[in-house]
Amino acid sequence: PARPAAPMPPLTVEYIRHETGEFDEESVFQAILSKRGIARIEAVSQCCNLRWLDLSRNDIIRIENLEGLVQLVSLDLSFNKISKVQSLEGVTSLERLQLKSNPIPRLQDLEGLRPLHSLRHLHFQNVDGSDFCPVCLKPEYKSTVRELCPELVALDSKRKHFPDLDKEVATVESHCDLKVDAPEPWFDQEDLAPGDAGRPEALEDALRPQVEDFDAAVRECQASFKEAEALLALQEAAAAADHG
């Protein structure tokens, strides 16, 4: 017959350092210790800078020995054998707690949530009701949790309050109610009336200065050409005399 699996040795600082790859327990910020056959929470309190701790899918029967983990923000104890929420007074910064699929039977077994003033996300089951704890079936389950954790943002992945989008849109629109004056035309009828500009004589008078400047420039160019031709003729005559 197959031999039974050897029990998990006590959880030690040395084991945690080995599993996390850290040489110093003060350097352990995250510890993923799921599916290790752990029967008791021990030694983790010596990792004073621990922020994320995953002890899911083990054989833990009691929440204990977490004092001193003042930096811990996320704790996963799902799929264990825990029957009561307790001993969480020391994790004052805890924001996310998962306890899905634990044999927690009674509403009074949730009293240990009360000291968790920083808790924002709590899970005793999935959003679809799977992996639930027996206490989730109690009619007063939600109201009891809300009373114990008034600052909770979401219970079992369901947010406490959804934003009223219509109200938000109305608020934005009320702040954007700007009064804009009617646009004024750039030109009036008087500006657009052709007046004297429509007469050929007026157009000729308006263009006369430009025409005169153009004619003067043409005459200057013609004089320059004549001067250049004269210089060229002199050079050719000089060259002919030298060869003669």
Side-chain angles (χ1 to χ4, degrees), residues 20 40 59 63 163 165 174 182 205 232:
T20 58
R40 186 177 181 186
D59 299 317
I63 302 175
L165 297 182
S174 66
D205 292 340
L232 182 59

XYZ file of all heavy atoms in Angstrom, residues 20 40 59 63 163 165 174 182 205 232:
76
model
N 11.147 32.077 -0.739
C 11.038 33.398 -1.359
C 12.343 33.822 -2.030
O 12.362 34.830 -2.759
C 10.659 34.462 -0.308
O 11.651 34.481 0.736
C 9.294 34.156 0.286
N -0.125 25.067 10.375
C -0.191 26.136 11.376
C 0.593 27.354 10.899
O 1.667 27.225 10.308
C 0.378 25.641 12.706
C 0.215 26.635 13.838
C 0.730 26.074 15.144
N 0.545 27.037 16.224
C 0.997 26.884 17.453
N 1.684 25.765 17.778
N 0.798 27.803 18.381
N -3.623 23.349 5.158
C -4.415 22.637 6.168
C -4.520 23.445 7.449
O -4.609 22.885 8.553
C -3.776 21.266 6.450
C -3.739 20.380 5.216
O -4.755 20.343 4.494
O -2.707 19.728 4.973
N -6.460 31.064 12.550
C -5.725 32.288 12.238
C -4.977 32.706 13.501
O -5.593 32.959 14.540
C -6.673 33.415 11.792
C -7.487 32.981 10.566
C -5.886 34.683 11.455
C -8.532 33.999 10.135
N -21.473 53.962 -8.945
C -21.713 55.374 -9.224
C -23.001 55.579 -10.012
O -23.341 54.786 -10.887
C -20.482 55.779 -10.055
C -19.983 54.498 -10.649
C -20.296 53.436 -9.630
N -24.444 57.142 -12.766
C -23.899 57.786 -13.960
C -24.765 58.951 -14.418
O -24.251 59.976 -14.871
C -23.747 56.755 -15.077
C -22.756 55.612 -14.793
C -22.678 54.688 -16.001
C -21.385 56.152 -14.441
N -24.120 70.635 -15.610
C -24.461 71.861 -14.885
C -23.258 72.775 -14.757
O -23.386 74.000 -14.775
C -25.009 71.516 -13.499
O -24.005 70.920 -12.686
N -24.469 85.345 -29.201
C -24.647 85.014 -30.619
C -23.500 85.615 -31.429
O -23.075 86.742 -31.167
C -25.983 85.551 -31.111
N -7.464 103.473 -61.674
C -6.821 104.424 -60.760
C -6.110 103.685 -59.617
O -5.020 104.083 -59.192
C -7.862 105.380 -60.181
C -8.428 106.320 -61.254
O -7.747 106.474 -62.290
O -9.530 106.865 -61.037
N 30.041 94.639 -74.695
C 30.402 93.407 -75.399
C 30.969 93.723 -76.785
O 31.953 93.114 -77.233
C 29.166 92.505 -75.523
C 29.397 91.147 -76.202
C 30.442 90.332 -75.440
C 28.077 90.384 -76.294
